[in-house]
Coordinates of all heavy atoms in Angstrom, one line a residue:
N1 N -8.4 -29.4 -22.9 CA -7.0 -29.7 -23.0 C -6.3 -29.3 -21.6 O -6.4 -28.2 -21.2 CB -6.4 -29.0 -24.2 CG -4.9 -29.2 -24.3 OD1 -4.1 -29.3 -23.4 ND2 -4.4 -29.3 -25.6
E2 N -5.7 -30.3 -21.0 CA -5.1 -30.0 -19.7 C -3.9 -29.0 -19.7 O -3.8 -28.2 -18.8 CB -4.6 -31.4 -19.1 CG -5.7 -32.3 -18.6 CD -5.2 -33.5 -18.0 OE1 -4.1 -33.5 -17.4 OE2 -5.9 -34.5 -18.0
R3 N -3.1 -29.1 -20.8 CA -2.0 -28.1 -20.9 C -2.5 -26.7 -21.0 O -2.0 -25.7 -20.4 CB -1.1 -28.4 -22.0 CG -0.2 -29.6 -21.8 CD 0.8 -29.8 -22.9 NE 1.7 -28.7 -23.0 CZ 2.5 -28.6 -24.0 NH1 2.6 -29.4 -25.0 NH2 3.4 -27.6 -24.0
L4 N -3.6 -26.5 -21.7 CA -4.2 -25.2 -21.9 C -4.8 -24.7 -20.6 O -4.6 -23.5 -20.2 CB -5.3 -25.2 -23.0 CG -6.0 -23.9 -23.2 CD1 -5.0 -22.8 -23.7 CD2 -7.1 -24.0 -24.3
Q5 N -5.5 -25.6 -19.9 CA -6.0 -25.2 -18.6 C -5.0 -24.8 -17.6 O -5.1 -23.8 -16.9 CB -6.9 -26.3 -18.0 CG -8.2 -26.5 -18.8 CD -8.9 -27.8 -18.3 OE1 -8.4 -28.5 -17.5 NE2 -10.1 -27.9 -18.8
A6 N -3.9 -25.6 -17.6 CA -2.8 -25.3 -16.6 C -2.2 -23.9 -17.0 O -1.9 -23.1 -16.1 CB -1.8 -26.4 -16.7
G7 N -1.9 -23.7 -18.3 CA -1.3 -22.4 -18.7 C -2.2 -21.2 -18.3 O -1.7 -20.2 -17.9
C8 N -3.5 -21.4 -18.5 CA -4.4 -20.3 -18.2 C -4.4 -20.0 -16.6 O -4.4 -18.9 -16.2 CB -5.8 -20.6 -18.6 SG -6.0 -20.5 -20.4
G9 N -4.3 -21.1 -15.9 CA -4.3 -21.0 -14.4 C -3.0 -20.3 -14.0 O -3.0 -19.4 -13.1
Y10 N -1.9 -20.6 -14.6 CA -0.6 -20.0 -14.2 C -0.6 -18.5 -14.6 O -0.1 -17.7 -13.9 CB 0.6 -20.8 -14.8 CG 0.6 -22.2 -14.4 CD1 1.0 -23.2 -15.2 CD2 0.3 -22.6 -13.1 CE1 1.1 -24.5 -14.8 CE2 0.4 -23.9 -12.6 CZ 0.7 -24.9 -13.5 OH 0.8 -26.2 -13.1
Q11 N -1.1 -18.2 -15.8 CA -1.1 -16.8 -16.2 C -2.0 -16.0 -15.3 O -1.7 -14.9 -15.0 CB -1.6 -16.7 -17.7 CG -0.5 -17.3 -18.6 CD -1.1 -17.4 -20.0 OE1 -2.2 -17.0 -20.3 NE2 -0.3 -18.1 -20.9
G12 N -3.1 -16.6 -14.9 CA -4.0 -15.9 -14.0 C -3.4 -15.6 -12.6 O -3.5 -14.5 -12.1
N13 N -2.6 -16.6 -12.2 CA -1.9 -16.4 -10.9 C -0.9 -15.3 -11.0 O -0.7 -14.5 -10.1 CB -1.2 -17.7 -10.5 CG -1.9 -18.4 -9.4 OD1 -3.0 -18.0 -9.0 ND2 -1.3 -19.4 -8.9
Q14 N -0.1 -15.2 -12.2 CA 0.9 -14.2 -12.3 C 0.2 -12.8 -12.3 O 0.7 -11.9 -11.7 CB 1.6 -14.4 -13.7 CG 2.7 -13.4 -13.9 CD 3.4 -13.6 -15.2 OE1 2.9 -14.3 -16.1 NE2 4.6 -13.0 -15.3
L15 N -1.0 -12.7 -12.9 CA -1.7 -11.4 -12.9 C -2.2 -11.1 -11.5 O -2.1 -9.9 -11.1 CB -2.9 -11.4 -13.9 CG -2.5 -11.5 -15.4 CD1 -3.7 -11.7 -16.2 CD2 -1.7 -10.3 -15.8
L16 N -2.6 -12.1 -10.8 CA -3.0 -11.8 -9.4 C -1.8 -11.3 -8.5 O -2.0 -10.4 -7.8 CB -3.6 -13.1 -8.8 CG -3.9 -13.1 -7.3 CD1 -5.1 -12.2 -7.0 CD2 -4.2 -14.5 -6.8
L17 N -0.7 -11.9 -8.7 CA 0.5 -11.5 -8.0 C 0.9 -10.0 -8.3 O 1.2 -9.2 -7.4 CB 1.7 -12.4 -8.2 CG 1.5 -13.9 -7.7 CD1 2.6 -14.8 -8.2 CD2 1.4 -13.9 -6.2
L18 N 0.8 -9.7 -9.6 CA 1.2 -8.4 -10.0 C 0.2 -7.3 -9.5 O 0.5 -6.2 -9.0 CB 1.2 -8.3 -11.6 CG 2.4 -9.0 -12.2 CD1 2.2 -9.1 -13.7 CD2 3.7 -8.3 -11.9
A19 N -1.1 -7.7 -9.5 CA -2.1 -6.8 -9.0 C -2.0 -6.6 -7.5 O -2.1 -5.4 -7.0 CB -3.5 -7.3 -9.3
A20 N -1.7 -7.6 -6.8 CA -1.5 -7.5 -5.3 C -0.3 -6.6 -5.1 O -0.4 -5.7 -4.2 CB -1.2 -8.9 -4.7
H21 N 0.8 -6.8 -5.8 CA 2.0 -5.9 -5.6 C 1.6 -4.4 -5.8 O 2.0 -3.6 -5.1 CB 3.1 -6.4 -6.5 CG 4.3 -5.5 -6.4 ND1 5.2 -5.6 -5.4 CD2 4.8 -4.6 -7.2 CE1 6.2 -4.8 -5.5 NE2 6.0 -4.1 -6.7
A22 N 0.9 -4.2 -6.9 CA 0.5 -2.8 -7.2 C -0.4 -2.2 -6.1 O -0.3 -1.0 -5.9 CB -0.3 -2.8 -8.6
L23 N -1.1 -3.0 -5.4 CA -2.0 -2.5 -4.3 C -1.3 -2.5 -3.0 O -1.9 -2.2 -1.9 CB -3.2 -3.4 -4.2 CG -4.2 -3.3 -5.4 CD1 -5.3 -4.3 -5.3 CD2 -4.8 -1.9 -5.6
G24 N 0.0 -2.9 -2.9 CA 0.8 -2.9 -1.7 C 0.5 -4.1 -0.8 O 0.7 -4.1 0.4
V25 N -0.1 -5.1 -1.4 CA -0.4 -6.4 -0.7 C 0.7 -7.4 -0.9 O 1.1 -7.6 -2.1 CB -1.8 -7.0 -1.2 CG1 -2.1 -8.3 -0.5 CG2 -2.9 -6.0 -0.9
G26 N 1.2 -8.0 0.1 CA 2.2 -9.0 0.0 C 1.5 -10.3 -0.6 O 0.4 -10.7 -0.2
A27 N 2.2 -11.0 -1.5 CA 1.6 -12.2 -2.1 C 2.8 -13.1 -2.4 O 3.9 -12.7 -2.9 CB 0.9 -11.8 -3.4
V28 N 2.5 -14.4 -2.2 CA 3.5 -15.4 -2.6 C 2.8 -16.6 -3.2 O 1.8 -17.0 -2.7 CB 4.4 -15.8 -1.4 CG1 3.6 -16.4 -0.3 CG2 5.5 -16.8 -1.8
W29 N 3.3 -17.1 -4.3 CA 2.8 -18.3 -4.9 C 3.5 -19.5 -4.2 O 4.7 -19.7 -4.3 CB 3.2 -18.3 -6.4 CG 2.6 -19.3 -7.3 CD1 2.1 -20.6 -6.9 CD2 2.4 -19.2 -8.7 NE1 1.7 -21.2 -8.0 CE2 1.8 -20.4 -9.1 CE3 2.6 -18.2 -9.6 CZ2 1.5 -20.7 -10.4 CZ3 2.3 -18.5 -10.9 CH2 1.8 -19.7 -11.3
L30 N 2.7 -20.3 -3.5 CA 3.2 -21.4 -2.8 C 3.3 -22.7 -3.7 O 2.4 -22.9 -4.5 CB 2.3 -21.7 -1.6 CG 2.1 -20.5 -0.6 CD1 1.0 -20.8 0.4 CD2 3.4 -20.2 0.1
G31 N 4.4 -23.4 -3.5 CA 4.5 -24.6 -4.3 C 3.8 -25.8 -3.7 O 3.3 -25.8 -2.5
Y32 N 3.7 -26.9 -4.4 CA 3.0 -28.1 -4.0 C 1.6 -27.9 -3.5 O 1.3 -28.4 -2.4 CB 3.9 -28.9 -3.0 CG 5.3 -29.1 -3.5 CD1 6.4 -28.4 -3.0 CD2 5.5 -30.1 -4.5 CE1 7.6 -28.6 -3.5 CE2 6.8 -30.3 -4.9 CZ 7.9 -29.6 -4.4 OH 9.1 -29.8 -4.9
P33 N 0.7 -27.3 -4.3 CA -0.6 -27.1 -3.8 C -1.4 -28.4 -3.6 O -2.3 -28.4 -2.8 CB -1.3 -26.2 -4.9 CG -0.5 -26.6 -6.1 CD 0.9 -26.8 -5.7
N34 N -1.0 -29.4 -4.3 CA -1.8 -30.6 -4.2 C -1.6 -31.4 -2.9 O -2.3 -32.3 -2.6 CB -1.5 -31.6 -5.4 CG -2.1 -31.0 -6.7 OD1 -3.2 -30.5 -6.7 ND2 -1.3 -31.1 -7.7
L35 N -0.7 -30.9 -2.1 CA -0.5 -31.5 -0.7 C -1.8 -31.2 0.1 O -2.1 -32.1 1.0 CB 0.7 -31.0 0.0 CG 2.1 -31.4 -0.7 CD1 3.2 -30.8 0.1 CD2 2.2 -32.9 -0.7
A36 N -2.4 -30.1 -0.1 CA -3.6 -29.7 0.7 C -4.8 -30.0 -0.1 O -5.9 -29.7 0.3 CB -3.5 -28.2 1.1
S37 N -4.7 -30.5 -1.3 CA -5.9 -30.6 -2.2 C -7.1 -31.4 -1.6 O -8.2 -30.9 -1.7 CB -5.4 -31.3 -3.5 OG -6.5 -31.3 -4.4
P38 N -6.9 -32.5 -1.0 CA -8.1 -33.2 -0.5 C -8.9 -32.4 0.6 O -10.1 -32.4 0.5 CB -7.5 -34.5 0.2 CG -6.2 -34.7 -0.5 CD -5.7 -33.3 -0.8
Q39 N -8.1 -31.7 1.4 CA -8.8 -30.9 2.4 C -9.5 -29.7 1.8 O -10.6 -29.3 2.2 CB -7.8 -30.4 3.5 CG -7.2 -31.5 4.3 CD -5.9 -32.1 3.7 OE1 -5.6 -31.9 2.5 NE2 -5.2 -32.8 4.5
V40 N -8.9 -29.1 0.8 CA -9.5 -27.9 0.1 C -10.8 -28.4 -0.6 O -11.8 -27.7 -0.6 CB -8.5 -27.2 -0.8 CG1 -9.2 -26.2 -1.6 CG2 -7.4 -26.6 0.0
K41 N -10.6 -29.5 -1.3 CA -11.8 -30.0 -2.1 C -13.0 -30.3 -1.1 O -14.1 -30.0 -1.4 CB -11.4 -31.3 -2.8 CG -10.6 -31.0 -4.1 CD -10.3 -32.3 -4.8 CE -9.4 -32.2 -5.9 NZ -9.1 -33.4 -6.6
A42 N -12.7 -30.9 0.0 CA -13.7 -31.2 1.0 C -14.4 -29.9 1.5 O -15.6 -29.8 1.6 CB -13.2 -32.0 2.2
W43 N -13.6 -28.9 1.7 CA -14.1 -27.6 2.2 C -14.9 -26.9 1.2 O -16.0 -26.3 1.5 CB -12.9 -26.7 2.7 CG -13.3 -25.4 3.2 CD1 -14.0 -25.1 4.3 CD2 -13.1 -24.1 2.6 NE1 -14.2 -23.7 4.5 CE2 -13.6 -23.1 3.4 CE3 -12.4 -23.7 1.4 CZ2 -13.5 -21.8 3.1 CZ3 -12.4 -22.4 1.1 CH2 -12.9 -21.4 1.9
L44 N -14.5 -26.9 -0.1 CA -15.2 -26.3 -1.1 C -16.4 -27.1 -1.6 O -17.3 -26.5 -2.2 CB -14.3 -26.0 -2.4 CG -13.2 -25.0 -2.2 CD1 -12.2 -25.0 -3.4 CD2 -13.7 -23.6 -2.0
G45 N -16.3 -28.4 -1.4 CA -17.4 -29.2 -1.9 C -17.4 -29.3 -3.4 O -18.4 -29.5 -4.1
E46 N -16.2 -29.2 -4.0 CA -16.1 -29.2 -5.5 C -15.2 -30.3 -5.9 O -14.3 -30.7 -5.2 CB -15.5 -27.9 -6.0 CG -16.3 -26.7 -5.8 CD -17.6 -26.6 -6.7 OE1 -17.5 -27.2 -7.8 OE2 -18.6 -26.0 -6.2
Q47 N -15.4 -30.8 -7.1 CA -14.4 -31.7 -7.7 C -13.5 -31.0 -8.7 O -13.9 -30.0 -9.3 CB -15.2 -32.8 -8.5 CG -16.0 -33.7 -7.6 CD -15.2 -34.5 -6.6 OE1 -14.2 -35.1 -7.0 NE2 -15.6 -34.5 -5.4
G48 N -12.3 -31.4 -8.9 CA -11.4 -30.8 -9.8 C -10.0 -30.9 -9.2 O -9.7 -31.7 -8.4
E49 N -9.1 -30.1 -9.8 CA -7.7 -30.1 -9.4 C -7.3 -28.7 -9.0 O -7.6 -27.7 -9.6 CB -6.9 -30.5 -10.6 CG -5.4 -30.6 -10.3 CD -4.6 -31.0 -11.5 OE1 -5.2 -31.4 -12.5 OE2 -3.4 -30.9 -11.4
L50 N -6.7 -28.7 -7.8 CA -6.1 -27.4 -7.3 C -4.9 -27.1 -8.1 O -4.0 -27.8 -8.2 CB -5.8 -27.6 -5.8 CG -5.2 -26.4 -5.1 CD1 -6.3 -25.3 -5.1 CD2 -4.8 -26.7 -3.7
M51 N -4.9 -25.9 -8.7 CA -3.8 -25.5 -9.6 C -2.7 -24.8 -8.9 O -1.6 -24.9 -9.3 CB -4.4 -24.7 -10.8 CG -5.4 -25.3 -11.7 SD -4.7 -26.8 -12.5 CE -3.6 -26.0 -13.7
A52 N -3.1 -24.0 -7.9 CA -2.1 -23.2 -7.3 C -2.6 -22.7 -5.9 O -3.9 -22.6 -5.7 CB -1.7 -22.0 -8.1
T53 N -1.7 -22.3 -5.1 CA -2.1 -21.7 -3.8 C -1.4 -20.3 -3.7 O -0.1 -20.3 -3.9 CB -1.7 -22.6 -2.6 OG1 -2.3 -23.9 -2.8 CG2 -2.2 -22.0 -1.3
V54 N -2.1 -19.3 -3.4 CA -1.4 -18.0 -3.2 C -1.8 -17.4 -1.8 O -3.0 -17.4 -1.5 CB -1.9 -17.0 -4.3 CG1 -1.4 -15.6 -4.1 CG2 -1.6 -17.5 -5.7
A55 N -0.8 -17.1 -1.1 CA -1.0 -16.4 0.2 C -1.0 -14.9 0.1 O -0.1 -14.4 -0.6 CB 0.1 -16.9 1.2
L56 N -1.9 -14.2 0.6 CA -2.0 -12.8 0.5 C -2.0 -12.2 1.9 O -2.6 -12.7 2.9 CB -3.3 -12.4 -0.2 CG -3.5 -12.8 -1.6 CD1 -4.9 -12.6 -2.1 CD2 -2.5 -12.1 -2.5
G57 N -1.5 -11.0 2.1 CA -1.5 -10.3 3.3 C -0.7 -9.0 3.2 O 0.0 -8.7 2.3
Y58 N -0.9 -8.2 4.3 CA -0.1 -6.9 4.3 C 1.2 -7.1 5.0 O 1.2 -7.7 6.1 CB -1.0 -5.8 5.0 CG -2.2 -5.4 4.2 CD1 -3.4 -6.0 4.4 CD2 -2.0 -4.5 3.1 CE1 -4.5 -5.6 3.6 CE2 -3.1 -4.2 2.3 CZ -4.3 -4.7 2.6 OH -5.4 -4.4 1.8
P59 N 2.3 -6.7 4.4 CA 3.6 -7.0 5.0 C 3.8 -6.1 6.3 O 3.3 -5.0 6.4 CB 4.6 -6.6 3.9 CG 3.8 -5.8 2.9 CD 2.4 -6.1 3.1
A60 N 4.5 -6.6 7.3 CA 4.7 -5.9 8.5 C 5.6 -4.7 8.3 O 5.5 -3.7 8.9 CB 5.4 -6.8 9.5
K61 N 6.5 -4.8 7.3 CA 7.3 -3.6 6.9 C 7.5 -3.7 5.4 O 7.5 -4.7 4.8 CB 8.7 -3.7 7.6 CG 9.5 -4.9 7.4 CD 10.8 -4.8 8.1 CE 11.7 -6.0 7.8 NZ 13.0 -5.9 8.4
A62 N 7.8 -2.5 4.8 CA 8.0 -2.4 3.4 C 9.3 -3.1 3.0 O 10.3 -2.9 3.6 CB 8.0 -1.0 3.0
P63 N 9.2 -4.0 2.0 CA 10.4 -4.7 1.6 C 11.3 -3.7 0.8 O 10.9 -2.8 0.1 CB 9.9 -5.8 0.6 CG 8.6 -5.3 0.1 CD 8.0 -4.4 1.2
G64 N 12.6 -3.9 1.0 CA 13.6 -3.1 0.3 C 13.9 -3.7 -1.1 O 13.3 -4.7 -1.5
P65 N 14.7 -3.0 -1.9 CA 15.0 -3.6 -3.2 C 15.7 -4.9 -3.1 O 16.5 -5.1 -2.2 CB 15.9 -2.5 -3.9 CG 16.4 -1.7 -2.7 CD 15.4 -1.8 -1.6
G66 N 15.5 -5.8 -4.1 CA 16.2 -7.1 -4.1 C 17.6 -6.9 -4.5 O 18.0 -5.9 -5.1
K67 N 18.4 -7.9 -4.1 CA 19.8 -7.9 -4.5 C 20.0 -8.7 -5.8 O 19.5 -9.8 -5.9 CB 20.7 -8.5 -3.4 CG 20.7 -7.7 -2.1 CD 21.6 -8.4 -1.1 CE 21.5 -7.6 0.2 NZ 22.4 -8.2 1.3
R68 N 20.6 -8.1 -6.8 CA 20.7 -8.7 -8.1 C 22.2 -8.7 -8.5 O 22.9 -7.8 -8.2 CB 19.9 -8.0 -9.2 CG 18.4 -8.1 -9.0 CD 17.7 -7.3 -10.1 NE 16.3 -7.3 -9.9 CZ 15.5 -8.1 -10.6 NH1 15.9 -8.8 -11.6 NH2 14.2 -8.1 -10.4
K69 N 22.5 -9.8 -9.1 CA 23.9 -9.9 -9.7 C 23.9 -9.0 -11.0 O 22.9 -8.9 -11.6 CB 24.2 -11.3 -10.1 CG 24.3 -12.3 -8.9 CD 24.6 -13.7 -9.4 CE 24.6 -14.7 -8.2 NZ 24.9 -16.0 -8.7
P70 N 25.1 -8.5 -11.3 CA 25.2 -7.8 -12.6 C 24.8 -8.7 -13.7 O 25.2 -9.9 -13.7 CB 26.7 -7.4 -12.6 CG 27.2 -7.5 -11.2 CD 26.4 -8.6 -10.6
L71 N 24.1 -8.2 -14.7 CA 23.7 -8.9 -15.9 C 24.8 -9.7 -16.5 O 24.7 -10.9 -16.9 CB 23.0 -8.0 -16.9 CG 22.3 -8.7 -18.1 CD1 21.2 -9.6 -17.6 CD2 21.8 -7.7 -19.0
A72 N 26.0 -9.1 -16.7 CA 27.1 -9.7 -17.3 C 27.6 -11.0 -16.6 O 28.2 -11.8 -17.2 CB 28.3 -8.7 -17.5
S73 N 27.3 -11.1 -15.3 CA 27.8 -12.2 -14.6 C 26.8 -13.4 -14.7 O 27.2 -14.5 -14.3 CB 27.9 -11.9 -13.1 OG 26.7 -11.7 -12.5
V74 N 25.7 -13.2 -15.3 CA 24.7 -14.4 -15.4 C 24.3 -14.6 -16.9 O 23.6 -15.6 -17.1 CB 23.5 -14.1 -14.5 CG1 23.8 -14.1 -13.1 CG2 22.7 -12.9 -14.9
V75 N 24.7 -13.8 -17.8 CA 24.3 -13.9 -19.2 C 25.6 -13.9 -20.0 O 26.5 -13.1 -19.8 CB 23.4 -12.8 -19.7 CG1 23.1 -12.8 -21.1 CG2 22.1 -12.8 -18.9
R76 N 25.6 -14.8 -21.0 CA 26.7 -14.8 -21.9 C 26.2 -14.8 -23.4 O 25.3 -15.5 -23.7 CB 27.5 -16.1 -21.8 CG 28.8 -16.2 -22.7 CD 29.5 -17.5 -22.4 NE 28.8 -18.6 -23.0 CZ 29.0 -19.8 -22.8 NH1 30.0 -20.2 -22.0 NH2 28.3 -20.8 -23.4
W77 N 26.7 -13.9 -24.1 CA 26.2 -13.7 -25.5 C 27.0 -14.6 -26.4 O 28.3 -14.6 -26.4 CB 26.4 -12.2 -26.0 CG 26.0 -12.0 -27.4 CD1 26.9 -11.9 -28.4 CD2 24.7 -12.0 -28.0 NE1 26.2 -11.7 -29.6 CE2 24.9 -11.8 -29.3 CE3 23.5 -12.1 -27.4 CZ2 23.8 -11.7 -30.2 CZ3 22.4 -12.0 -28.3 CH2 22.6 -11.8 -29.6
E78 N 26.4 -15.4 -27.2 CA 27.0 -16.3 -28.2 C 26.4 -15.9 -29.6 O 25.2 -16.1 -29.7 CB 26.8 -17.7 -27.9 CG 27.5 -18.2 -26.7 CD 27.3 -19.7 -26.4 OE1 26.7 -20.4 -27.3 OE2 27.6 -20.1 -25.3
G79 N 27.2 -15.5 -30.5 CA 26.6 -15.2 -31.7 C 27.4 -14.4 -32.7 O 28.4 -14.0 -32.8

C-alpha cells in the first residue's frame, strides 16, 4: 500500500531528525526530493521512489531559541 509506505518513510525521517538534534547534528528535511530522483537512482543503481532528502551536518554556531508567538494569538477555543 503506497500510503502506508509513505507514512512509514515520513515517520522514519522524523525520528532521524530528532536523533540528529539530540546528537548536536544539524538536520533539515528538504522538499521536492523527486527533482533529484533520476540522478540518485542512477547513482544507487536501484529502482523505486525517493521519499525524502535530509541534509546533515554540524552547525557553524549553536542556534538560539526560536521565536514563537504567544499561544493565545494563534489558537482559538470553541466549545
Side-chain angles (χ1 to χ4, degrees):
N1 179 321
E2 288 182 25
R3 284 184 67 188
L4 178 61
Q5 290 175 350
C8 290
Y10 299 143
Q11 292 170 7
N13 257 6
Q14 182 179 18
L15 293 173
L16 174 68
L17 294 171
L18 290 170
H21 178 76
L23 295 171
V25 176
V28 62
W29 187 336
L30 302 169
Y32 304 106
N34 289 322
L35 294 177
S37 186
Q39 294 88 347
V40 172
K41 284 182 186 177
W43 179 68
L44 292 173
E46 297 287 333
Q47 294 297 314
E49 181 180 350
L50 182 62
M51 298 297 290
T53 304
V54 176
L56 299 167
Y58 290 98
K61 61 180 183 175
K67 295 181 182 180
R68 294 180 181 254
K69 295 179 182 180
L71 186 61
S73 74
V74 295
V75 175
R76 182 178 74 193
W77 176 257
E78 293 182 9

